[in-house]
Amino acid sequence: MDRIYDLIILGGGPGGYTAALYGARSGMDVLLLEKLSAGGQMGLSAQIDNYPGFPEGIDGFSLGQQMKEGAERFGAQTLLAEATAVSLDGPVKEIQTSEGTFRARTVILATGATPRLLGLAEEETLTGRGVNYCAACDGMFYKGKTVAVVGGGNSAVGDALLLSRVAEKVILIHRRDKLRASPVYEKALAEAKNLTILWDTTVSRLLHDQRLTGLALKNVKTGETSQLACDGVFVSIGRAPASALFRDQVTTDQAGYLQADETTRTNLPGVFAVGDVRTKPLRQVVTAVADGAVAVYYAEEYLAEHP
Ligand code: NAP
């Protein structure tokens, strides 16, 4: 409890571990707190093709481990612990966790974002019993089966394409008549013969016995209702920031993302926000990584100005 770190990082995704690498490499005393395992949400991706330096792509779990090892090579410490309360005001910041209380002069918030729920009755009870949020993790359970994917962004289309290689039949359900996803997917969508798209459609109910058996659907233009029998549904409708712990202290936008510009500085001196939890136009591994480096640059500046 007496020890005061130069820097505590909350979250072991790509932003957090890049901050740990940059901080430790520049001689800071760095502690990174991670809830589960290195990589964060990235660790759930079966294949990452848009992080440069890996011509064949790499799975997110391995990339997370490599980022962790890179930071630890320079002395950054990782502790598996869940933060339960924070006090970020003042020159010494305090983090209470499942493993004790830790103090630091600067803090980087890199807690990322978690999948958004549909908000339907019994959604949580049926999670793992037909309702899923990660195609890369759970897609293999649907080999030869029929699955639905809800959403129209890059994640939903990526998930639908991944599942089309495993499942017998994939139905992508989107609430509008145009995908939000990048046009880069159009060719692959057209070529996936077992994949169909239901446009202008929302899910109004989860049908089930012990497990999910189907979805009650509604066409938002015609008002027509229908039922779709399926073995599983993958909800892929974006993410919500993991910022609940900081919202009473750090300024957020309406959706709860921590307000910080390219400098990653928040409203609190010595507190920085990086990666998916920060307000930003593009949430990707490369942008999280860039944030981690920038945050340490400004943390060092802050420490020099507040000796
Ligand atoms: P997103 O871009 O925010 O898309 C969410 C999708 O879900 C939208 O199509 C949205 O519909 C739909 N949606 C939202 N709430 C809904 C609800 N309650 N019911 C039904 N549908 C709902 O989220 P994302 O696809 O997870 O992507 C997040 C970020 O990661 C984006 O910046 C994306 O570009 C990036 N990403 C990149 C890649 C890649 O480059 N390889 C892969 C995955 C994600 P509307 O379109 O009607 O709003």
Side-chain angles (χ1 to χ4, degrees):
M1 179 63 185
D2 288 343
R3 182 170 181 177
I4 300 178
Y5 288 90
D6 293 324
L7 168 63
I8 288 183
I9 300 160
L10 270 69
Y17 270 115
T18 303
L21 168 65
Y22 272 69
R25 195 166 174 268
S26 68
M28 291 164 108
D29 189 17
V30 178
L31 175 67
L32 184 145
L33 302 173
E34 165 55 39
K35 200 161 58 165
L36 274 176
S37 65
Q41 288 288 309
M42 175 184 82
L44 304 179
S45 280
Q47 176 79 4
I48 294 179
D49 288 324
N50 53 1
Y51 186 70
F54 298 92
E56 303 300 324
I58 183 166
D59 70 278
F61 182 80
S62 301
L63 186 54
Q65 285 299 321
Q66 290 183 32
M67 288 182 176
K68 176 173 184 272
E69 285 165 26
E72 288 176 349
R73 181 156 71 95
F74 292 97
Q77 288 178 55
T78 298
L79 181 72
L80 287 182
E82 180 161 7
T84 51
V86 296
S87 171
L88 299 173
D89 221 355
V92 176
K93 289 91 172 66
E94 201 169 279
I95 318 287
Q96 289 173 38
T97 79
S98 52
E99 305 302 315
T101 300
F102 300 92
R103 297 192 295 163
R105 294 164 66 207
T106 61
V107 170
I108 293 180
L109 305 173
T111 45
T114 50
R116 205 179 283 148
L117 308 191
L118 282 169
L120 294 172
E122 294 169 283
E123 184 171 354
E124 287 178 49
T125 322
L126 290 167
T127 298
R129 293 194 220 161
V131 175
N132 309 273
Y133 299 88
C134 175
C137 324
D138 301 324
M140 64 193 170
F141 298 124
Y142 295 92
K143 197 168 166 40
K145 300 199 166 171
T146 298
V147 289
V149 177
V150 184
N154 282 327
S155 300
V157 171
D159 286 354
L161 288 170
L162 187 153
L163 290 165
S164 73
R165 296 193 284 274
V166 180
E168 184 175 315
K169 201 170 162 201
V170 179
I171 303 101
L172 179 62
I173 301 170
H174 184 35
R175 64 183 178 183
R176 289 189 297 135
D177 60 1
K178 190 175 185 309
L179 292 174
R180 181 180 293 279
S182 155
V184 80
Y185 290 112
E186 276 168 16
K187 187 165 175 277
L189 279 174
E191 283 171 2
K193 297 296 172 216
N194 61 344
L195 195 164
T196 51
I197 305 181
L198 287 181
W199 302 103
D200 300 314
T201 301
T202 56
V203 180
S204 41
R205 216 152 33 89
L206 301 169
L207 310 175
H208 62 92
D209 42 36
Q210 293 301 307
R211 288 182 53 86
L212 186 87
T213 53
L215 304 172
L217 304 176
K218 182 175 179 187
N219 184 303
V220 293
K221 283 196 174 150
T222 63
E224 192 184 324
T225 59
S226 60
Q227 293 196 349
L228 172 76
C230 60
D231 302 292
V233 60
F234 286 80
V235 180
S236 195
I237 59 171
R239 305 204 190 131
S243 61
L245 214 51
F246 325 122
R247 279 184 211 170
D248 59 339
Q249 298 170 56
V250 180
T251 308
T252 67
D253 70 3
Q254 273 192 337
Y257 288 96
L258 303 178
Q259 196 86 53
D261 62 12
E262 290 303 311
T263 66
T264 75
R265 285 189 287 214
T266 68
N267 58 307
L268 296 177
V271 178
F272 306 87
V274 313
D276 284 5
V277 76
R278 170 172 92 77
T279 49
K280 51 161 60 182
L282 183 64
R283 295 191 170 85
Q284 299 272 291
V285 177
V286 277
T287 61
V289 159
D291 280 359
V294 172
V296 169
Y297 173 83
Y298 284 104
E300 283 185 290
E301 184 184 87
Y302 170 87
L303 287 174
E305 287 169 1
H306 301 81

